[in-house]
Amino acid sequence: MSPCLDVRPNLESDFVSSRDAMVPLSGKICVVTGAADGIGKAVAIALAEAGAIVYISGPLKVEGGNETLVPCLQNTVREAEAAGGICIPVECDHTSVDDMEHLFDRVRDEKYCQLDVLVNCAFSGEPVLKEKRNEPFWQASLELWDMASQAGMRSYYIASRRAASLMVPARRGVIINVSSMSGFKALFNTAYGINKAACDRMTEDCSRELKEYGVAVLSLLPGLVKTEFLLECANQNKLNFEEEMALSQGETPQFVAKAVLNLVTDQNIMDKTGEIYTTVDIADTFKFTDVHGIKPLHPLSLRANMLYIGKWRLAKWIPRFVMAPKSLLIANAIGP
C-alpha cells in the first residue's frame, strides 16, 4: 500500500455529492495550472465555486503595477472568494521544473497526498503567437519553440506525471489537458501546432496507462476563446476585420469552465478517457450554453472554419450544423 494512503483521511470518493448538489466537488482537491487569466482562471473559479479546494499556479502578483489590469493569481483568488470558493495560489514559472515540482510537493504535503483533478492550462506565449503567427518556422526564433514547448507541453507532462503519482494509489482522478484546434489544423505557427498535437497524443498514451487505475485523461478542445488578451487587442484595434468577426462568434472562458466542471462531475468519466472532446460537444451532452444563453459555433463546423480563414461573407450563409469537410482538417478522432 502506498504511504500516501496510510495517512489519507476518509474522504467521500464519489465525484458528485449526494448530500449537497450545490457543491458537487466538496472535499475534492484540484490543481489548475496557468490560472492567472483566461481559461485557467475561469476553470479555477468554477471548480472552487463547486466546493473544491483549488491550487492555482502562475504569477502571484504584480510588482509596482496595477494588478487589476495585469494577469496574476491574486485576482483569481479574490474572484473565487467572492463566489464563495477557495483558491490557494502557488507562484510558479511553468518553464521551471523546480517550480512545477514545488507546486505538487505542496499538494502532497498539505492535503495528505490527495489530488482528484488536474486541469492543464499553462501557456505564456499568447502575445507572441499573434505577432509571429505568419512567420515561417525556419525564420522564427527558437524562443518561439521554447514558449510553446516549455511553458506549454513540458509543463503539461510534468504536471500529469506528478498528478498521476498521487492519483494512482487512490485509484481515482481526472486529468484534463486544454488543447487547441492547432493540434490538427494549421493555425498560428508551426511550433504551436506541433506542441498541441503532442498534447493530444499525450492524452491518448497516458490514458492507456492510467485506465486500469481508474484515472481518466481527456483533451478538451475549445474554439476561439474570448480571452482578456484578445478582447484587449480588439479594444485597441489591433485585430483586423476578419479576426474581429471570428472573435465575435467565439466562446468565453466561462463556457470552457462549464465544460470542465461537467466532465469532472460526470460519474461515467472513464467512458470518455483517452478522447478529444470539443467544448461544444460537452455542452450538447450536458445541456448548457455560454453566457446569455448563447451557443458558440462548433470549432469543426464549416462556418467556424470559414471565419478562421477570413471568409466571413461566405460563412454567414452556411448553416451552423454543417461540419467542415476533411479536406480542411486533418482526420483526427474528435468527439464522442
Side-chain angles (χ1 to χ4, degrees), residues 6-22:
D6 291 339
V7 297
R8 184 191 297 273
N10 184 21
L11 297 173
E12 183 181 20
S13 62
D14 292 335
F15 270 96
V16 180
S17 171
S18 59
R19 292 175 299 181
D20 194 344
M22 297 303 292

Side-chain angles (χ1 to χ4, degrees), residues 222-248:
L224 187 60
V225 180
K226 299 175 182 178
T227 61
E228 295 92 335
F229 170 75
L230 287 179
L231 291 176
E232 184 61 23
C233 285
N235 290 335
Q236 295 180 7
N237 298 316
K238 292 182 178 179
L239 302 181
N240 60 39
F241 180 76
E242 288 77 11
E243 290 170 333
E244 289 188 1
M245 286 293 294
L247 186 62
S248 71

Side-chain angles (χ1 to χ4, degrees), residues 5 21 45 84 140 180 209 221 274 279 287 321:
L5 293 182
I45 293 170
S180 167
E209 295 187 35
L221 195 158
T279 49
K287 310 302 181 187
F321 62 83

Side-chain angles (χ1 to χ4, degrees), residues 192-231:
Y192 184 72
I194 291 171
N195 280 275
K196 285 304 180 181
C199 167
D200 295 334
R201 180 54 188 261
M202 186 181 81
T203 290
E204 180 182 352
D205 289 356
C206 290
S207 71
R208 187 180 301 112
E209 295 187 35
L210 291 172
K211 187 173 183 177
E212 66 177 288
Y213 299 102
V215 178
V217 188
L218 302 88
S219 279
L220 183 63
L221 195 158
L224 187 60
V225 180
K226 299 175 182 178
T227 61
E228 295 92 335
F229 170 75
L230 287 179
L231 291 176

